[in-house]
Amino acid sequence: MSKENRVPSCPIGDALGVFAGKWKPEILWHLKDSRMRFNQLHRAIGAISQKMLAQQLRELQRDGLVTRTQYDTIPPHVEYEATELVKTLEPIFDALEQWNKDNGATVQKAREKYLKNNQ
């Protein structure tokens, strides 16, 4: 069964699969206020490979979170933009941002403790 056709065991997990992951939140963060060209987005994020960025953008397009507009110019000009659907995620992103402010230091300490005890 493909990833797209699987039956979710948890509705939260299914929802998170749409916008969560290592790169999708960062992509959406950069696109939430303006459209960007591929290389602009790549430079803004930094550590992501071009292959991974292209894959993540395709998935976000597939799920209706990002639109891709290609202009018939030479050289080709392509822009990506967040859709209206992303605006419905803003309360979730705000809550996650607040959770990170409240708990990020605790998580970091737990990671450091784990690494120290498991080396």
Side-chain angles (χ1 to χ4, degrees):
M1 181 176 285
S2 74
K3 183 178 174 182
E4 290 82 19
N5 295 328
R6 73 174 183 78
V7 176
S9 64
C10 168
I12 295 171
D14 199 41
L16 285 173
V18 174
F19 63 85
K22 184 169 183 178
W23 300 111
K24 287 179 183 179
E26 286 194 53
I27 292 167
L28 293 173
W29 176 262
H30 289 288
L31 292 178
K32 70 181 176 59
D33 295 321
S34 65
R35 66 180 67 155
M36 297 178 82
R37 295 176 73 164
F38 184 90
N39 285 331
Q40 285 178 297
L41 193 52
H42 186 253
R43 281 190 302 272
I45 295 171
I48 191 172
S49 70
Q50 289 188 348
K51 180 181 177 181
M52 181 57 69
L53 178 57
Q55 177 185 333
Q56 298 289 278
L57 284 166
R58 280 193 300 275
E59 290 178 15
L60 288 166
Q61 279 181 263
R62 177 200 66 204
D63 293 337
L65 298 173
V66 168
T67 59
R68 178 184 187 271
T69 304
Q70 183 169 336
Y71 298 93
D72 294 329
T73 60
I74 299 175
H77 176 133
V78 176
E79 291 182 339
Y80 295 90
E81 183 174 18
T83 66
E84 291 296 314
L85 191 55
V86 173
K87 290 183 180 171
T88 67
L89 293 170
E90 286 182 14
I92 296 167
F93 291 159
D94 291 343
L96 288 170
E97 184 178 4
Q98 186 61 51
W99 185 90
N100 189 52
K101 285 178 184 175
D102 295 344
N103 300 290
T106 303
V107 170
Q108 185 59 36
K109 286 177 187 174
R111 288 177 178 168
E112 291 167 2
K113 181 179 178 183
Y114 177 85
L115 287 173
K116 181 180 174 185
N117 293 335
N118 291 288
Q119 287 183 347

